[in-house]
Amino acid sequence: MPKIILRALTSCCGISRRFNGKSNRRNYRNWSVGKLNHVAIAVPKLTEAASFYRNILGAKVSDPTELPDHRVTTVFVDLGNTKIELLEKLGDNSPIASFLKKNSSGGIHHICLEVDDINSAIESFKETHSVRTLTSEPRIGAHGKPVVFLHPKDCNGVLIELENV
């Protein structure tokens, strides 16, 4: 597992490292983190980015989907074992607009991890004061499932999206 993802999991998802190098869920949680669902990349031009993955790399690319509640337009690149989510701003007050002001060429915006009980995860964060969520309740994400974002300052600088599976 890449070190940046492991550090993020260690700080905010109840994963600890043993000396033998294996990860271990803390046993007091009534939820668990699963696999990496996708890596999200903010892009200035969604059509051009999707074309690169489809025409140059030969990947399967979805049609664009507008998500007004999240103020983004998304395209998913299916890689078989995971996905890349391409994000374009939808309006000037989009979180992607502010990201692109700092990173005009685009870049990695967040990672998405699957959890088996998103409400229990949020509750455990509230009880332990270990991680702030960007919204108090989950919202429906691009896959039609509840999602919540974890504050990057509590996750080693990584914006993490949790998706209920």
Side-chain angles (χ1 to χ4, degrees):
M1 181 176 296
K3 287 183 181 181
I4 191 164
I5 294 172
L6 183 59
R7 282 197 324 257
L9 290 173
T10 301
S11 73
C12 67
C13 293
I15 304 293
S16 61
R17 293 290 280 179
R18 293 183 181 177
F19 291 109
N20 65 7
K22 295 182 180 177
S23 60
N24 177 34
R25 287 185 206 7
R26 294 179 186 156
N27 56 10
Y28 62 85
R29 301 206 187 274
N30 55 357
W31 62 277
S32 61
V33 67
K35 68 178 187 169
L36 174 68
N37 184 284
H38 65 266
V39 174
I41 301 173
V43 298
K45 297 180 181 175
L46 190 60
T47 305
E48 289 180 15
S51 178
F52 169 78
Y53 285 95
R54 181 186 306 106
N55 300 332
I56 304 299
L57 298 182
K60 182 179 174 186
V61 177
S62 74
D63 291 330
T65 302
E66 289 187 0
L67 300 173
D69 288 347
H70 296 274
R71 300 179 315 270
V72 298
T73 302
T74 66
V75 164
F76 280 94
V77 179
D78 188 346
L79 301 175
N81 62 343
T82 194
K83 297 176 281 301
I84 295 173
E85 179 183 33
L86 303 175
L87 300 168
E88 182 180 63
K89 71 178 185 170
L90 184 60
D92 290 334
N93 63 346
S94 168
I96 300 307
S98 60
F99 182 90
L100 289 173
K101 282 181 186 173
K102 298 175 198 166
N103 308 281
S104 62
S105 298
I108 294 177
H109 183 261
H110 69 268
I111 64 170
C112 177
L113 304 173
E114 296 178 351
V115 294
D116 61 358
D117 187 341
I118 197 164
N119 292 315
S120 292
I122 293 169
E123 191 60 34
S124 72
F125 298 147
K126 287 179 185 175
E127 287 175 6
T128 62
H129 304 286
S130 58
V131 179
R132 293 169 286 172
T133 58
L134 298 187
T135 56
S136 59
E137 298 292 325
R139 295 189 300 176
I140 299 302
H143 296 117
K145 298 177 181 177
V147 299
V148 69
F149 284 86
L150 306 181
H151 200 294
K153 289 186 178 179
D154 298 336
C155 301
N156 296 297
V158 178
L159 178 61
I160 296 178
E161 176 185 22
L162 298 180
E163 179 177 275
N164 201 75
V165 292

